[in-house]
Amino acid sequence: MSLAKVTVPKGEAAKTSAPSSRSIMLRRLYRRAVRCFHGCLNRICDGMDIVIKILGPLFILLAFSLFGFVAYTFFTVVVPAMLAEDQPIILVGGLASTGIFLLVNLVYNYAMAICLDAGLPPEF
């Protein structure tokens, strides 16, 4: 079998191979819109970084204030109420020492989570 050579008139070949000015304009408009969107998205991300850097220490202060409030309430309200109800001193002392132990561990572990980098174990 022989392959026949197909000839296309010059006018039709030129029409199909060259993009029209309208498609070029749409591509340029699309690229410009994508660049604008990308720039706006970068500015939004930069703004969120600043907001997070401001809110981070505020949330740390909030957490420590909640720890302090719970400890203050326990030692000024709960422990005296248990002593006023004639609870055994061993029970009240055990609960108070357990509360102190939990508070110290909570504050220590939270402070270490704040101060240390994530994924870096301490060197022994």
Side-chain angles (χ1 to χ4, degrees):
M1 286 190 141
S2 68
L3 297 173
K5 189 175 183 181
V6 178
T7 59
V8 179
K10 289 185 179 183
E12 291 180 21
K15 288 181 184 177
T16 58
S17 64
S20 68
S21 62
R22 178 177 243 181
S23 66
I24 292 173
M25 181 183 69
L26 288 176
R27 285 180 192 164
R28 287 180 182 167
L29 182 64
Y30 174 74
R31 282 188 209 135
R32 204 176 295 162
V34 167
R35 284 186 198 130
C36 179
F37 177 73
H38 188 263
C40 292
L41 192 61
N42 280 339
R43 288 187 186 114
I44 290 171
C45 289
D46 290 342
M48 288 303 295
D49 287 341
I50 292 169
V51 168
I52 288 172
K53 285 183 182 182
I54 292 171
L55 285 179
L58 294 176
F59 284 135
I60 292 170
L61 288 174
L62 176 68
F64 277 119
S65 65
L66 289 173
F67 298 158
F69 174 72
V70 169
Y72 176 79
T73 303
F74 179 73
F75 289 113
T76 59
V77 176
V78 175
V79 171
M82 289 180 70
L83 289 173
E85 292 179 3
D86 294 330
Q87 294 288 331
I89 194 75
I90 294 174
L91 176 66
V92 176
L95 284 176
S97 60
T98 303
I100 291 171
F101 173 76
L102 291 174
L103 178 66
V104 168
N105 279 311
L106 183 70
V107 169
Y108 172 76
N109 287 313
Y110 191 69
M112 287 294 111
I114 293 168
C115 295
L116 294 179
D117 290 333
L120 295 177
E123 293 183 25
F124 292 104

